Amino acid sequence: MRKTLLILLAAIGFSACGTSGSSSLSSRAGSGSFLSSTVQLDQQFVYALSADQSQLLAYKISGEDEGGGHNHDHVHAQHDHGHDHGHGNGGDSGLELVELDGSPYTLPGGTALSLVVAADGRALIVIFTDGTLRNYPINGVTGLLGEPASVPSRVANPRKLRLSPEGDSIAVLGDDLALFPVEENGELAPLPAVLPNTEDWSDVALGHHGGAGSTSQGAVGFSWERGGPVSGSSEVSLPGATRGGLAIAHDEVFVTNTEDQTVSQLSLDEESGQLTLVETFELPEEVEDPMAIAVLFDGEDLLVGGTEAVVLLHHHEDELEEEGHLELDQTPSDFFSILETGFVLVAHAGGQGFHLLRVDEGLTLVSEFSEELSNITSFGLARRLETVTVTEEL
């Protein structure tokens, strides 16, 4: 059942990804004995936005097997193609997305475009078509959201949100680029740093002290200290007339050249924001009109999606070596890597539902989710460590 998203209270079931705790037995005057248990919950929640109806999908991650670095042995998931709404991928899947009660929820206040989860999983932040940012506090035990606070983004025609590697800053991309610090409690700073005239940018990514955007002609870098002004650099021309997504790993920037069917690698000087073209790589012929791109495993691999396929590329000695490809029935518009696992969520802004992929010694399609919902644009991940005490009368 769909419902307007307000403060929701739920009974707590201790089926967390990981728990630890202690117990004590005590008694009170004039009453019986009580058993108190203190449990530390290690919870992970995934959120997806269907922009057409401003629907928010919410899941709890259950049973994931985290990998410890890129050794191509991250997780073990079975291919299960028929679970709508994400209620499990099979008992041996390695990662299961269990939809929260009542999901999907309707986000009131207009048409939502894009989301991120910031501040160590404390806040889910959504940009709406009127330029309003709404910041929803996340309950670390239930994964449910509270009443939002609103801040104007000061950006006309917003298109998407991006998150800094530390999760303490967000970028709003529209006719201008606005950069907002996020406080530890999830609150947004009231005044952003603004880089004007970004109407032709197709994507943006934040690094630790700067960032870059893909433009109609190429790419632009910028420098920015958290809470300070932003300064753009000169544009670097890239092959072809159209650009897709952009991804950053450390001081390396990767941009998809859609018309040219290539990926360009640039180096970013975060102090000055200056970009320098390193090399341009041809993509496999099955990746037509490449748009989506993600950097995996600390920059070792790239995931690139076009109209007909997704390809996994290993970045090694100035070459991109193909490690696997996968045909999908919808065009990827964005990727979201679930940190410390080999799983990637695939958005389809022009299609229905979303996909879950596994990256191992290649690519595997694990599941499709929420095929009845259209225009899935973005994802967020909240990992929360919560200590809960429960007292029972014996």
Side-chain angles (χ1 to χ4, degrees):
M1 177 174 58
R2 299 181 181 181
K3 60 184 71 173
T4 300
L5 185 60
L6 299 172
I7 295 179
L8 300 174
L9 298 178
I12 299 169
F14 296 111
S15 56
C17 303
T19 62
S20 62
S22 61
S23 301
S24 63
L25 187 65
S26 61
S27 62
R28 300 175 187 171
S31 64
S33 298
F34 293 83
L35 179 65
S36 295
S37 298
T38 300
V39 180
Q40 186 175 61
L41 304 178
D42 185 353
Q43 308 259 74
Q44 294 191 68
F45 303 99
V46 167
Y47 304 90
L49 178 65
S50 172
D52 279 349
Q53 295 84 30
S54 294
Q55 295 287 305
L56 179 73
L57 293 141
Y59 303 87
K60 178 181 174 182
I61 294 181
S62 177
E64 79 276 15
D65 182 15
E66 295 184 354
H70 185 28
N71 57 7
H72 287 300
D73 188 21
H74 304 288
V75 288
H76 302 282
Q78 292 183 342
H79 181 180
D80 184 348
H81 206 266
H83 286 81
D84 189 31
H85 253 354
H87 288 291
N89 304 320
D92 298 324
S93 67
L95 182 144
E96 185 179 6
L97 298 183
V98 180
E99 196 164 7
L100 300 186
D101 289 343
S103 172
Y105 312 105
T106 298
L107 298 174
T111 302
L113 295 172
S114 182
L115 70 79
V116 293
V117 172
D120 292 328
R122 292 181 176 87
L124 185 143
I125 301 170
V126 183
I127 183 70
F128 288 77
T129 53
D130 65 357
T132 300
L133 286 164
R134 289 191 173 87
N135 176 4
Y136 298 85
I138 298 174
N139 185 303
V141 176
T142 66
L144 301 176
L145 307 185
E147 288 280 9
S150 297
V151 172
S153 69
R154 305 175 188 273
V155 171
N157 300 313
R159 299 192 292 278
K160 62 181 64 177
L161 295 182
R162 291 301 190 208
L163 186 68
S164 68
E166 296 85 2
D168 63 355
S169 303
I170 65 168
V172 184
L173 177 62
D175 289 354
D176 301 317
L177 177 69
L179 303 174
F180 284 85
V182 183
E183 303 303 328
E184 290 185 2
N185 62 2
E187 292 183 0
L188 289 168
L191 293 176
V194 176
L195 185 66
N197 304 322
T198 58
E199 299 96 330
D200 71 334
W201 288 27
S202 58
D203 201 2
V204 66
L206 296 180
H208 295 285
H209 302 291
S214 52
T215 72
S216 58
Q217 298 299 315
V220 172
F222 56 87
S223 61
W224 178 63
E225 288 292 338
R226 185 177 183 275
V230 58
S231 176
S233 67
S234 57
E235 188 172 36
V236 176
S237 296
L238 297 176
T242 54
R243 230 63 50 200
L246 175 147
I248 290 180
H250 303 295
D251 60 351
E252 293 181 321
V253 176
F254 296 91
V255 181
T256 56
N257 304 306
T258 306
E259 182 187 66
D260 197 54
Q261 202 169 341
T262 57
V263 168
S264 291
Q265 177 189 356
L266 305 98
S267 63
L268 172 65
D269 183 339
E270 290 196 304
E271 294 297 322
S272 65
Q274 189 68 41
L275 287 174
T276 303
L277 179 62
V278 177
E279 193 165 355
T280 295
F281 306 93
E282 291 188 2
L283 289 170
E285 61 181 13
E286 62 265 27
V287 188
E288 298 180 6
D289 298 323
M291 287 293 295
I293 187 169
V295 178
L296 306 178
F297 312 120
D298 206 29
E300 290 189 18
D301 285 1
L302 293 179
L303 195 63
V304 182
T307 55
E308 306 237 339
V310 175
V311 63
L312 178 67
L313 303 167
H314 183 56
H315 187 214
H316 178 65
E317 294 182 353
D318 298 326
E319 294 183 358
L320 290 181
E321 303 171 353
E322 183 175 347
E323 293 197 333
H325 79 273
L326 184 68
E327 294 184 1
L328 296 178
D329 57 359
Q330 300 186 71
T331 300
S333 57
D334 208 355
F335 298 123
F336 184 85
S337 176
I338 300 178
L339 296 178
E340 300 179 357
T341 77
F343 289 98
V344 176
L345 300 169
V346 185
H348 303 288
Q352 303 291 124
F354 64 95
H355 288 88
L356 175 66
L357 307 185
R358 174 168 59 96
V359 180
D360 199 337
E361 294 180 354
L363 289 173
T364 303
L365 174 60
V366 178
S367 288
E368 295 182 15
F369 294 84
S370 299
E371 295 171 83
E372 77 283 5
L373 295 179
S374 59
N375 196 10
I376 303 290
T377 62
S378 48
F379 305 97
L381 173 69
R383 182 175 185 183
R384 297 290 295 274
L385 297 175
E386 298 290 333
T387 300
V388 178
T389 299
V390 177
T391 300
E392 297 180 89
E393 185 175 0
L394 299 181

